[in-house]
Amino acid sequence: MGVGVSLILIAAVAILTWAVNATVSGVDIQTVGVILLVVGAIGLLLSLVFWSSWGGFGGGPAPRRRTTYVEDAPPY
């Protein structure tokens, strides 16, 4: 799950949790909303941790460089 998907999930679930006053038999919408909110927050944190370890913008290890050595050979 990427950063954008996590933020969209958190925003949608916040609306579901605190703005919707519907009742459904057998399902507590607020509880489902809180569970999904926690999942979105964990996804956001994991995305940020892995993004910084893979390079991201200005973070992480330096990119590997390849060096090519060319030896002079006699002309044919």
Side-chain angles (χ1 to χ4, degrees), residues 16-54:
L16 179 69
T17 303
W18 291 293
V20 174
N21 291 327
T23 57
V24 179
S25 63
V27 177
D28 187 8
I29 294 178
Q30 281 75 26
T31 304
V32 172
V34 170
I35 291 170
L36 291 176
L37 186 65
V38 170
V39 170
I42 290 171
L44 178 64
L45 290 175
L46 288 176
S47 296
L48 291 176
V49 166
F50 286 124
W51 188 31
S52 67
S53 69
W54 287 333

Side-chain angles (χ1 to χ4, degrees), residues 5-6 8 11 18 22 26 33-34 45-46 50 59 62 64-65 67 71-74:
V5 174
S6 296
I8 290 172
W18 291 293
V34 170
L45 290 175
L46 288 176
F50 286 124
R64 295 183 181 181
R65 296 182 184 179
T67 304
E71 296 183 18
D72 289 334

